[in-house]
Amino acid sequence: MTRTPLWPDELEPLRPEARHMADSALPMFAELMGSPDLAPAERFRIQRQRYDEIRRPLGNDPRELEVRDIAGRSCRVFVPSGTPRGVYLQIHGGGWSLGSPADGDVENLRRCRELGLVVVAASYRLAPEHRYPAATDDVFGVAQWLLENAADEWGSGDRLALGGGSAGAHLAAITALRIRDELGAIGRIAGLNLVAGLFDLSGTPSQSGLRVSDGGDVLDPALIELQVSNFVGEAMLSERRDPRISPLYADLRGLPRTLLSAGYDDHLLDDSLFFAQRLTAAGTDVDLRVYPECNHSFTGLPTAMAARAQAVVDGFLASCFGAE
């Protein structure tokens, strides 16, 4: 029987550095996320306080950055010089309850400049103050506005790519499904860039701790449950499997080409593995990339492995709009 590896041999030399950096960063992330031994409310309070303390948006707003209202949400918009190749709607992560559009400033500015894309970083109402469907409605509203107005606003054409990490990947997938079902405009979605996403809010084996790797992770089962409960409340298991909440259970036919990226040590690995298979079965062009020695936060670490993952995303987004 032929074994199909989850990653190419060219990543093997990058594993020691990735493992060392992941292990070195874990104490910092553990302090940020709070101990799983704490009561959920206290753990969340610590997370939000510390998350806000370390946020570092761009100090001096570059000429490409506009902060503007789109569909009632404050968005950070990066507009390249010259005619844009397209528009990329980027959705921040943070377990639906942390973070802001400023979290992605560095990468969003770089992609604006290097790829020639208008990059719109959307805000959305955060849980638990605003539970489902607040975040999904907010992101969908921004996406709808872009589909209706981006071409006239920036001369960017009428197609849109969507993406994000973690909860942002979840919201991107949900938004694409709503664009298909409510607007009938899925043909105008150029691609989905889904990094370390959570697509089954009812739980997967790796979410519950039954992982193929023993590597440390930023996430843990208690933290995942806390974030999901913040987002959906005390929903029954069957309600969490509603396809409007968990895209793994949706009819996925007709979705655009999709890039899925995940770390092998991530508690959300199964979400990407399962979602890739369901998308493939539905006829979607899927590119699944798994990165060894990498946990949930790996794309934000200064490693060659993270740089490789970012380069793959850059190539994917460029190809969505006809450039390589």
Side-chain angles (χ1 to χ4, degrees), residues 217-232:
D217 191 16
V218 177
L219 295 178
D220 56 66
L223 178 54
I224 295 170
E225 176 58 29
L226 171 61
Q227 293 175 334
V228 172
S229 295
N230 280 343
F231 180 56
V232 299

Side-chain angles (χ1 to χ4, degrees), residues 63-255:
R63 66 183 183 276
E64 296 93 338
L65 173 61
E66 305 173 8
V67 180
R68 57 182 295 178
D69 180 283
I70 295 179
R73 304 307 306 166
S74 176
C75 298
R76 296 173 74 82
V77 183
F78 297 87
V79 182
S81 59
T83 302
R85 290 177 174 169
V87 179
Y88 175 48
L89 174 56
Q90 189 268 338
I91 308 158
H92 72 83
W96 308 280
S97 55
L98 305 169
S100 83
D103 297 346
D105 272 359
V106 173
E107 282 302 322
N108 290 337
L109 175 60
R110 183 184 64 76
R111 289 194 168 117
C112 167
R113 289 176 172 172
E114 295 182 5
L115 303 181
L117 299 177
V118 174
V119 181
V120 178
S123 72
Y124 52 87
R125 288 169 289 174
L126 299 178
E129 295 87 351
H130 304 281
R131 289 195 164 109
Y132 171 85
T136 59
D137 287 346
D138 291 345
V139 176
F140 176 69
V142 173
Q144 184 174 11
W145 187 95
L146 292 173
L147 288 171
E148 294 172 353
N149 298 282
D152 292 336
E153 188 80 14
W154 299 297
S156 56
D158 65 353
R159 303 186 75 215
L160 174 68
L162 294 87
S166 194
H170 166 268
L171 292 171
I174 291 291
T175 301
L177 289 166
R178 291 187 64 176
I179 289 170
R180 181 195 67 185
D181 297 340
E182 299 177 34
L183 303 181
I186 196 64
R188 292 178 58 193
I189 304 303
L192 292 174
N193 169 41
L194 308 179
V195 180
L198 200 164
F199 306 115
D200 181 359
L201 276 67
S202 70
T204 64
S206 63
Q207 284 184 37
S208 65
L210 298 174
R211 298 188 297 154
V212 292
S213 167
D214 295 326
D217 191 16
V218 177
L219 295 178
D220 56 66
L223 178 54
I224 295 170
E225 176 58 29
L226 171 61
Q227 293 175 334
V228 172
S229 295
N230 280 343
F231 180 56
V232 299
E234 299 302 322
M236 298 290 290
L237 184 66
S238 59
E239 293 173 320
R240 292 187 182 189
R241 288 178 177 166
D242 185 318
R244 295 169 295 181
I245 296 174
S246 291
L248 183 69
Y249 296 92
D251 177 352
L252 301 178
R253 289 175 291 183
L255 289 188

